[in-house]
Amino acid sequence: MSKKKAAKRARRSRRYVIAVLAAASALFTAQGTAWAGTPTFATHVDYAAGNASQAVRVADFDKDGHLDQVVANSLDNTVSVLLGNGDGTFATKTDFGTGDYPGGIAVGDFDEDGNPDLAVDNLNGDTVSVLLGNGDGTFATKVDHATGSGPYKVEVGDYDKDGHIDLATSNTNDNTVSVLLGNGDGTFGHQDRLRHGSVPVLGRGQGREQGHRPRPGRVQRQ
């Protein structure tokens, strides 16, 4: 190839690269403008729950195809269930009793009847309350299971791979994680307490240590 042809081809190649870069830059600039736009939301609507609401979970508790809410109320020792209407609105709450100072909530089918059930950790009670769902948005009376001291979060999973859902709580006052193996009928075996690092905190679906997290301890009621 002659030097003249090679130079001409090189110029065409440079022009092509410049054109591609310019197009990409324009694309990213336009996309960045779109990303920078502020999302808008409708005006909020408030629904009454209990006193000192700590956590909320969403599931279809009455199996009508609409999402419902459950809220833990720490100073009332209850959970509030608000059934969804499917249009973004919710019915008035119905309260169900828990242990002392409920904080975290987990949802699972603990008795394997196809209805979502609740597990609620009770910080001042050193227990986790299990409320079995009836499939119509109501729940049976709680059954408490012992945990370590100061359970702060509760999570669910099949930890022993037997096909039944188990429970785990992070216990902030004795730096342990309690594992309660499920029997598949809504009951659980005695806890196995595992020593953890400083102030164990369970995340969604896993355990993790956060040594800098403040220790909740016992909560004094006003």
Side-chain angles (χ1 to χ4, degrees), residues 52-136:
S53 301
Q54 289 277 354
V56 60
R57 292 289 179 264
V58 176
D60 185 5
F61 296 122
D62 57 357
K63 302 169 69 174
D64 63 353
H66 308 319
L67 288 177
D68 312 308
Q69 301 183 52
V70 59
V71 184
N73 309 308
S74 293
L75 295 183
D76 288 345
N77 295 340
T78 62
V79 291
S80 296
V81 175
L82 295 83
L83 298 180
N85 299 315
D87 58 0
T89 65
F90 293 85
T92 303
K93 71 182 178 76
T94 301
D95 292 338
F96 301 90
T98 66
D100 190 2
Y101 207 87
I105 307 174
V107 179
D109 185 6
F110 306 134
D111 56 357
E112 301 174 9
D113 63 352
N115 302 325
D117 310 311
L118 303 177
V120 185
D121 63 76
N122 306 304
L123 180 66
N124 282 354
D126 297 340
T127 61
V128 58
S129 296
V130 174
L131 294 82
L132 298 180
N134 298 315
D136 58 0

Side-chain angles (χ1 to χ4, degrees), residues 15-34:
R15 286 196 296 270
Y16 174 76
V17 171
I18 291 170
V20 170
L21 291 175
S25 176
L27 176 63
F28 285 124
T29 299
Q31 186 63 61
T33 301

Side-chain angles (χ1 to χ4, degrees), residues 139-183:
F139 293 84
T141 302
K142 72 179 177 75
V143 175
D144 292 338
H145 300 271
T147 67
S149 180
Y152 190 55
K153 294 292 180 184
V154 58
E155 295 293 343
V156 300
D158 184 7
Y159 304 127
D160 57 356
K161 298 184 179 180
D162 64 351
H164 305 317
I165 296 180
D166 312 310
L167 302 178
T169 66
S170 56
N171 309 312
T172 58
N173 290 337
D174 59 9
N175 298 333
T176 62
V177 173
S178 293
V179 176
L180 295 86
L181 298 180
N183 298 315

